[in-house]
């Protein structure tokens, strides 16, 4: 008997708190360690982590294309090398082992004790060894807001924007795990437009609310991935805060685009939610007009209904909800981004990370950056402790969360969180 792992009726014999991001219908992958154990692959359910290394050693993962080293590993890359089918079969197997209707693991108390680890006993680690990092610029609302502020409200979108999923190559070395604090970057800024630039700590530090997807191995150099094939090359998604130094960016970005304003840190959430788990939350995206070129055309639903939020927490203060957005607002979907990325023959690799670009919605409370929320500093945000923010201050913590919800099932990402420390 086989039950689809996304079936809303599925229940696990492991208790999952109501409103948890991690019911049996999710089963995201991550890397964790404990006081007693080295880094290894885990799957999250409720407030527990399933130790896949131990599960493998105990013989529960037989007849799957994996070996011990795929689970006894500092990264998910080795597991992701098995591609869509291998990782799908693995998630299906875990789903069955955790399903209340199946007793194989459930009945073996001794094994359960070895495999199931309470979340408060684990330390999460960087899930993926990221090869290349690409960031897109795919929210029409965000691009329009930025164009309005910095160029011309009448021509806010540049002429190419409605034709090309605009992107740039970022830097993988500074993609870091949620929870790692970041020192305020320093660089060249030009606070007085009529004077020479100065070297100083960034004054306009910002977050960017994004999601990111992680790829499987792509095709050979010279080949392209179509929009119809794209989802077969995507393992899963995480939350992504693409930290940005707006004053450094303003001075440096012409003519080649972002450089030091963007490459000092980008934070990701620790659990990679598979595209399989997100399948029930597909939806239509915005209508695309003018009609896109043929290699960007697609069939069916390629957007995802993922609720996103940003909270800002001052030191010793409470969280302030400052933004609610949704991935469904994105103009260019992930399949189009990947098709565009490879249309020239560029090869993607297992473990590449692709950022969505800042995800702004249509309303002022759905803008995905401080730049937009406080409208270039002209509308400071008021926090519950009485202070105001135009940008992020030292010792502020930014927390992003995301989840999907449908038919009584909530599939979420947890959070990506980081605190800004003073400049070194
Ligand atoms: Ca970005």
């Amino acid at each position: 008997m086989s039950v689809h792992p996304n079936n809303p009726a599925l229940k696990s014999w492991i208790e999952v708190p109501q409103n948890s991001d991690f019911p049996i219908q999710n089963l995201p992958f991550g890397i964790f360690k404990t006081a007693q154990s080295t880094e290894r692959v885990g799957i999250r359910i409720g407030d527990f982590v399933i130790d896949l290394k131990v599960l493998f050693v105990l013989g529960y993962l037989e007849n799957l294309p994996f070996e011990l080293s795929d689970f006894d590993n500092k990264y998910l890359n080795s597991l992701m090398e098995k591609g869509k089918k291998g990782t799908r079969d693995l998630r299906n197997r875990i789903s069955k082992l955790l399903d209340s209707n199946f007793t194989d693991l459930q009945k073996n108390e001794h094994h359960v004790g070895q495999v199931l680890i309470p979340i408060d006993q684990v330390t999460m680690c960087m899930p993926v060894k990221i090869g290349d990092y690409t960031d897109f610029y795919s929210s029409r609302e965000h691009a329009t807001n930025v164009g309005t502020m910095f160029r011309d409200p009448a021509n806010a979108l540049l002429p190419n924007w409605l034709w090309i999923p605009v992107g740039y190559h970022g830097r993988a070395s500074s993609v870091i795990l949620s929870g790692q604090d970041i020192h305020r970057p320093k660089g060249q800024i030009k606070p007085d437009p009529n004077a020479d630039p100065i070297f100083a700590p960034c004054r306009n530090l910002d977050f960017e609310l994004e999601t990111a997807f992680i790829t499987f191995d792509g095709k050979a150099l010279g080949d392209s991935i179509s929009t119809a094939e794209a989802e077969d090359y995507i393992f899963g998604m995480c939350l992504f805060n693409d930290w940005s130094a707006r004053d450094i960016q303003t001075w440096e970005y012409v003519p080649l685009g972002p450089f030091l304003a963007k490459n000092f840190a980008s934070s990701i959430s620790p659990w990679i939610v598979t595209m399989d788990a997100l399948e029930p939350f597909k939806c239509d995206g915005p209508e695309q007009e003018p009609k896109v070129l043929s290699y960007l055309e697609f069939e069916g639903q390629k957007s995802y209904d993922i609720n996103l939020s940003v909270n800002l927490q001052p030191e010793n203060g409470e969280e302030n909800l400052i933004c609610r957005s949704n991935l469904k607002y994105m103009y260019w979907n992930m399949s189009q981004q990947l098709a565009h990325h490879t249309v020239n023959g560029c090869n993607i690799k297992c473990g590449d990370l692709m950022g969505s670009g800042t995800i702004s919605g249509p309303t002022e409370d759905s803008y995905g950056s401080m730049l937009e929320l406080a409208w270039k500093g002209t509308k400071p945000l008021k926090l519950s402790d009485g202070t105001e923010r135009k940008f992020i201050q030292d010792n502020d913590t930014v927390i992003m969360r995301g989840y999907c919800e449908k038919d009584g099932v909530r599939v979420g990402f947890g959070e990506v969180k980081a605190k800004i420390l003073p400049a070194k």
Side-chain angles (χ1 to χ4, degrees), residues 133 135-136 168 208 210 240 242 244 262 357-358:
Y133 155 43
D135 198 23
F136 287 93
Y168 74 98
E208 289 190 333
E210 302 193 24
F240 189 57
D242 191 26
S244 298
K262 298 278 192 175
T358 307

Side-chain angles (χ1 to χ4, degrees), residues 363-382:
T363 57
E364 285 182 14
D365 61 351
S366 65
Y367 295 165
S369 66
M370 285 297 279
L371 177 70
E372 296 162 88
L373 289 165
W375 206 256
K376 219 178 163 184
T378 60
K379 297 178 184 172
L381 297 186
K382 288 186 176 46

Side-chain angles (χ1 to χ4, degrees), residues 379-394:
K379 297 178 184 172
L381 297 186
K382 288 186 176 46
L383 304 186
S384 59
D385 65 0
T387 61
E388 291 189 339
R389 291 292 183 283
K390 295 176 177 175
F391 288 97
I392 302 300
Q393 293 185 358
D394 287 348

Side-chain angles (χ1 to χ4, degrees), residues 201-221:
C202 162
R203 296 174 187 179
N204 297 348
L205 185 61
D206 203 352
F207 60 82
E208 289 190 333
L209 170 62
E210 302 193 24
T211 59
F213 65 88
I214 313 277
T215 59
F216 292 119
D217 237 340
K219 295 185 180 178
L221 184 69

Side-chain angles (χ1 to χ4, degrees), residues 174 176-177 179-187 199-206 242-248 260-267 392-397 417-424:
S174 52
I176 55 174
L177 188 67
Q180 184 175 342
D181 298 339
I182 299 158
H183 284 279
R184 177 176 298 271
K186 294 172 287 193
F199 173 70
C202 162
R203 296 174 187 179
N204 297 348
L205 185 61
D206 203 352
D242 191 26
W243 295 98
S244 298
R246 299 298 179 196
D247 41 2
I248 296 173
L260 305 185
K262 298 278 192 175
N263 69 4
F264 59 94
S266 305
S267 306
I392 302 300
Q393 293 185 358
D394 287 348
N395 302 309
D396 282 350
T397 300
K417 177 177 183 172
K419 181 177 176 177
I420 294 300
L421 303 175
K424 268 191 183 172

Side-chain angles (χ1 to χ4, degrees), residues 98-330:
L98 301 180
D99 184 340
S100 55
N101 294 316
F102 293 88
T103 56
D104 295 23
L105 176 60
Q106 184 184 354
K107 70 181 181 206
N108 197 325
E109 224 171 275
H110 181 60
H111 286 177
V112 170
Q114 296 177 68
V115 163
L116 208 60
I117 304 168
I119 190 69
D120 57 10
Q121 291 177 20
V122 312
T123 302
M124 295 309 296
C125 308
M126 192 67 187
V128 178
K129 186 168 177 54
I130 296 165
D132 279 306
Y133 155 43
T134 300
D135 198 23
F136 287 93
Y137 187 58
S138 288
S139 157
R140 182 174 190 161
E141 289 81 0
H142 173 68
T144 303
N145 288 339
V146 172
T148 300
M149 276 183 267
F150 288 100
R151 286 187 304 271
D152 172 12
N155 298 291
L157 284 184
L158 287 169
N160 62 5
W161 200 91
L162 293 168
W163 294 93
I164 293 175
V166 172
Y168 74 98
H169 286 300
R171 187 161 179 88
S173 67
S174 52
V175 178
I176 55 174
L177 188 67
S178 172
Q180 184 175 342
D181 298 339
I182 299 158
H183 284 279
R184 177 176 298 271
K186 294 172 287 193
Q188 284 199 29
I189 59 174
K190 214 165 175 295
D192 179 354
N194 300 313
D196 287 341
I198 60 169
F199 173 70
C202 162
R203 296 174 187 179
N204 297 348
L205 185 61
D206 203 352
F207 60 82
E208 289 190 333
L209 170 62
E210 302 193 24
T211 59
F213 65 88
I214 313 277
T215 59
F216 292 119
D217 237 340
K219 295 185 180 178
L221 184 69
D223 289 340
S224 305
I225 295 171
S226 69
T227 56
E229 297 167 320
E231 287 175 349
D232 289 340
Y233 291 91
I234 303 177
F235 173 57
M237 294 176 66
C238 59
L239 302 170
F240 189 57
N241 182 351
D242 191 26
W243 295 98
S244 298
R246 299 298 179 196
D247 41 2
I248 296 173
Q249 185 178 356
T250 309
W251 172 231
E252 77 172 4
Y253 87 102
V254 179
L256 289 185
F259 186 31
L260 305 185
K262 298 278 192 175
N263 69 4
F264 59 94
S266 305
S267 306
I268 67 169
S269 53
W271 294 106
I272 310 300
V273 178
T274 64
M275 298 320 288
D276 282 347
L278 293 169
E279 182 74 21
F281 308 100
K282 278 184 160 177
C283 65
D284 291 323
E287 196 183 328
Q288 297 184 326
E289 173 64 39
K291 188 170 179 296
V292 299
L293 296 180
S294 60
Y295 78 92
L296 291 169
E297 289 177 358
F298 62 93
E299 283 177 15
Q301 294 181 317
K302 299 284 185 192
S303 293
Y304 291 83
D305 185 355
I306 304 178
N307 301 293
L308 300 165
S309 65
V310 184
N311 279 265
L312 195 159
Q313 184 176 28
E315 191 165 39
N316 304 318
E318 59 185 22
E319 289 189 21
N320 291 250
L321 178 65
I322 58 172
C323 163
R324 275 180 198 278
S325 188
N326 193 303
L327 183 65
K328 70 183 177 188
Y329 299 134
M330 295 289 292

